[in-house]
Amino acid sequence: MAALAWLLIPLVAAIGAGLWGSWANRNRRTAGDGTELAGYTRFREAMEKSRSGT
């Protein structure tokens, strides 16, 4: 019976690792890069203005 308990420990750990891996690798719905790209565009335009203004 003790041998069965020692075999169940890795089995439970493997099942837990599989569940955690599938949860960590799930597809998350994100807003996308639209806001970051818009911010970068504003930054680039501001840099172009400061370069041509000098």
Side-chain angles (χ1 to χ4, degrees):
M1 195 60 155
L4 183 60
W6 280 108
L7 290 174
L8 285 177
I9 292 171
L11 179 66
V12 170
I15 291 171
L19 289 173
W20 178 84
S22 63
W23 177 80
N25 212 13
R26 71 189 187 283
N27 289 330
R28 296 183 180 130
R29 294 182 182 176
T30 58
D33 294 335
T35 56
E36 293 179 16
L37 290 175
Y40 175 70
T41 303
R42 288 192 307 268
F43 170 76
R44 195 176 65 225
E45 289 171 354
M47 290 291 142
E48 289 295 324
K49 288 178 185 176
S50 67
R51 186 181 302 172
S52 61
T54 308

